[in-house]
Amino acid sequence: KFHCVLCAGCNSVEQKIYVDLNNTIPCVRLLNGTHQMGCQSSISGNTGVLHVLETEADLDWVLKSGPHPPYMVLMDASYFNRYTVMMQLKNSTRVTGVAVVIPSTGPPQGFSPHNKCPNQHTGVYSDSYGPGLADCNVTVWNPLGNGLSFEDFKFPIFSLKDDNQTEAIRKCISDHNVGNNGSAPAYPLCAMQMFSHMHAVTSTATCMRRNYIQEHYSLNPESVCDPLGDFNVWAPLLPLNVTSKGHKANESVVIAATRLDGRSFFWDVATAAEGTVTGFVTLLAAAHALRSVTEQAPPSRNILFTFFQGETFDYIGSSRMVYDMEKKKFVIDLDNVHSVLEIGQVGLREGTNLWMHTDPVSRTNASVDEQVRNLVANLKDSVTGLGINLAEPTVSQPLPPSSFQRFLRARPFPGVVLADHQSSFVNKYYESIYDNAAYLNVTYPSDLSPEEQLEYITDTAKALAQVATLVARTLYRQADGNKDLVDNITADAKIVTQMLYGFLIRTNNSWFRNLWFLYILVLSYTPQYYVGVSVSMTRPSPMTRLVQYLLANLTGTVTALNQTTCQDPSSQRNESKELYSYLWVRGPQSANSTNRDPYCVRSTVRSTLAISPAFELREYESKVYSTWTESRWKSSIKARIFLVASKELEMLTLGVGIAVLLVSLLVTYFISSKAELLFSSTREPSGTTY
């Protein structure tokens, strides 16, 4: 009982001293084959006096003249967006942490913490392949990139929402940290403490070596980092037998590709609206648009819809699929690949323009060039009546950052990357926290309920439905489908708008709940597309799993199987787990009832591991494959504010405490040594007369 009372007392004291901050998002440490980058605190947390950065004078106060270092800097995003300011703070010994207040909209001039040349070392262009095109020598794809995400900060950086808690921090600062008439403020001062200690250091090679030592020589093994990765989602239009790997005789496959992941400076925050969501929503809508026509008249070639994970981090998903094809570990091999059509960033078209990017190096091969021309012709034939102006770049330039580059590293393939930019990205917020629904103009009238918003067809949805129609018609032509049926292929703008709402605004909506309820509650926040770490390597992340369920429902067939036989249909006639996958879907609510009408969907949708081959090959300094890892952390990541006393008062308090301790010890010693005198009692006489 005493222990419980003591703990309750400790918690009560702590709550009176500290105010914990909710809704904080940290920058964490990432590593690759050669470097560490990101942020971390000391093992006991970083503490500093808070100071608001609003002017250049405030910056000088923090870096030079302020009398109470070290400082925790509270800044608006306008200063965080300035690379020079962040580098000054990084190189100062007077700064112990940064808290950034992030607004919902980005700066008009744009902001990208990514590199100017994304994935430049793991694409196809190098000294041996198009050397003049390597390292963005011809086209700088992301000119606004300042590389902030690749810097190594020795202190923690947290993002805060501009809400009541941020106002409380500002009030604490104004009440305690602002002096009179420019003088230094008096104690007590408002301070902040941040906890985000990372275990991994130096590089992926170092942390994986430490993992190995822990695993083999420690009684209580603890890993210090994990590879980034998840699962690729893919689905052939016509079923393929997954039990036999490698080459499929007489099988020609058109690959339709896009990516599923994005990133920003802060951990697990990647809305990636233009950078990622527009691409995979377009491909999902195209796959759905093809279903009815291909059931009526299947094309002679197959189409493989592929959704790659980890592409932001040196093409994790696509390099793994190509590697598996080369090693005969995938359902097809590279000899089965006919051509590639990739959907890049397609949501911010300037006017009606959509650009077809091809690789000039592989097109020097006459056979490849002819097939590329055929693919471009199929695209142009399919655009009629869609209000889209298709064009090729006017100058010879490399492919933009794309999964197709990993296929070209294996061998020349005909292929096209569709994008809304001719040269540099139109996206002003590439791989930043501002690439969100508002930037993509996915907005709704204020008087609509969530369910009405789900059904409201936005202009962005209409535009992406046109692109999806173009993609679907082109794929059908490229797969040698019946050209008389091409005009019957049309993407559904309502499906597109529902997907945009679910993937950008609210995942916990009625349509998604009908498909897959188990993790929708987990995904009740605004969806994020950071690839994360592959700790279990046994099942996809919730967001990847949701894409898998959605693709199955958009392309599959509802069966009469019950839940038991849906999980194991091997005993059923005309059902085959070698050719199909089976998913039990929660279904919509019955009319006038809270019960659901669940059903079993048969589809060709599968998922395979998207972990860089470098970790299978133990080549942790590989220059061919991605080597990205994320550091682990043991203690909780958190931030809190409190009032800190002056050093003099702290020393006085310590001195008084020591004095009280010494006096207590002396008193205890005196009482103990005189215990017989102080606590003895007079003996009663042994003989007592009554």
Side-chain angles (χ1 to χ4, degrees), residues 27-46:
C27 154
V28 302
R29 173 165 289 167
L30 299 176
L31 309 99
N32 62 17
T34 56
H35 293 83
Q36 66 179 32
M37 56 213 77
C39 319
Q40 78 152 358
S41 73
S42 66
I43 194 167
S44 57
N46 282 26

Side-chain angles (χ1 to χ4, degrees), residues 79 184 274 308 315 362 420 432 434 467 505 595 658:
Y79 281 93
E274 157 71 350
F308 293 121
Y315 306 119
S362 61
D420 55 19
S432 87
Y434 305 117
V467 180
I505 306 296
N595 296 326
I658 292 173

Side-chain angles (χ1 to χ4, degrees), residues 472-491:
R473 291 177 179 180
T474 301
L475 289 172
Y476 192 63
R477 289 179 186 272
Q478 189 70 3
D480 255 355
N482 186 337
K483 291 181 174 56
D484 294 334
L485 299 177
V486 169
D487 291 341
N488 296 340
I489 301 172
T490 304

Side-chain angles (χ1 to χ4, degrees), residues 523-580:
L523 297 170
S524 58
Y525 48 78
T526 302
Q528 307 297 334
Y529 299 97
Y530 172 63
V531 62
V533 297
S534 52
V535 177
S536 66
M537 298 189 185
T538 56
R539 61 177 180 270
S541 66
M543 187 55 69
T544 302
R545 187 73 166 153
L546 179 58
V547 171
Q548 186 176 350
Y549 261 77
L550 190 58
L551 181 59
N553 277 269
L554 293 176
T555 61
T557 303
V558 177
T559 69
L561 301 178
N562 58 35
Q563 187 169 6
T564 302
T565 53
C566 186
Q567 294 173 350
D568 183 15
S570 56
S571 60
Q572 306 297 307
R573 291 183 61 187
N574 302 323
E575 304 294 347
S576 170
K577 293 195 74 171
E578 290 75 26
L579 296 176
Y580 300 101

Side-chain angles (χ1 to χ4, degrees), residues 80 85 102 129 162 217 219 294 323 421 459 496 502 570 603 615 677:
F80 173 72
V85 171
I102 302 292
Y129 189 99
D162 194 2
Y217 302 106
L219 294 177
T294 53
Y323 174 82
H421 53 89
D459 290 340
V496 174
S570 56
S603 74
F615 297 98
L677 292 175

Side-chain angles (χ1 to χ4, degrees), residues 628-641:
W628 284 90
T629 54
E630 178 187 279
S631 174
R632 287 194 180 187
W633 54 88
K634 184 180 292 185
S635 59
S636 61
I637 292 180
K638 62 180 181 179
R640 57 190 185 180
I641 60 173

Side-chain angles (χ1 to χ4, degrees), residues 24-26 98-100 156-160 194-196 266 637-639:
T24 58
I25 302 171
V98 173
V100 187
I157 302 177
F158 281 41
S159 76
L160 306 173
M194 293 180 176
F195 298 88
S196 63
F266 297 100
I637 292 180
K638 62 180 181 179

Side-chain angles (χ1 to χ4, degrees), residues 129 359 361-363 365 368 404 407-414:
Y129 189 99
D359 172 44
V361 179
S362 61
R363 292 187 71 174
N365 179 302
V368 172
F404 180 39
F407 284 85
L408 289 173
R409 283 189 71 133
R411 65 175 67 170
F413 285 104

